[in-house]
Amino acid sequence: MNRARAFYSEKLGLDPVEQRQGGLRYVCAGGEFAIFVSAGLQSGTHTQMGWLVEDIEATVLELRARGVEFETYDWPEDHRWDCRHSRKLRQ
């Protein structure tokens, strides 16, 4: 939990609004999410969370300056969300 809290705070600039038993709650961009300790194993095969930003390239540059690493994937032009490129944050 401490590693996740540090990542959200130091790399993304997000601090929890509430600390719950075994987890943290965040409010961001008109929504909210919680992170919590899980006994299960993550599959790592799907997106956990995503944000809509005004300028993806500027946002990526800003996050890279904070030490966030990205993996880049090319998607086909006819992707159903019209995504040309998708990036995955690595902790």
Side-chain angles (χ1 to χ4, degrees), residues 1-87:
M1 185 62 61
N2 290 335
R3 183 173 160 240
R5 183 181 202 147
F7 175 81
Y8 283 104
S9 178
E10 296 167 14
K11 305 298 184 188
L12 303 181
L14 300 174
D15 292 307
V17 296
E18 179 183 2
Q19 184 165 343
R20 299 176 178 183
Q21 182 67 22
L24 303 168
R25 186 171 68 92
Y26 292 83
V27 174
C28 174
E32 61 182 73
F33 63 93
I35 60 172
F36 55 90
V37 177
S38 173
L41 294 175
Q42 63 187 25
S43 69
T45 62
H46 56 281
T47 300
Q48 298 291 318
M49 216 177 329
W51 283 271
L52 180 63
V53 296
E54 291 287 324
D55 184 339
I56 186 66
E57 297 304 326
T59 301
V60 168
L61 287 174
E62 179 182 341
L63 291 171
R64 280 191 174 141
R66 293 182 187 180
V68 176
E69 296 179 29
F70 290 85
E71 296 175 3
T72 302
Y73 303 92
D74 289 324
W75 293 96
E77 290 295 319
D78 64 347
H79 190 270
R80 71 180 189 166
W81 293 291
D82 197 31
C83 291
R84 300 306 191 277
H85 300 282
S86 177
R87 290 184 173 87

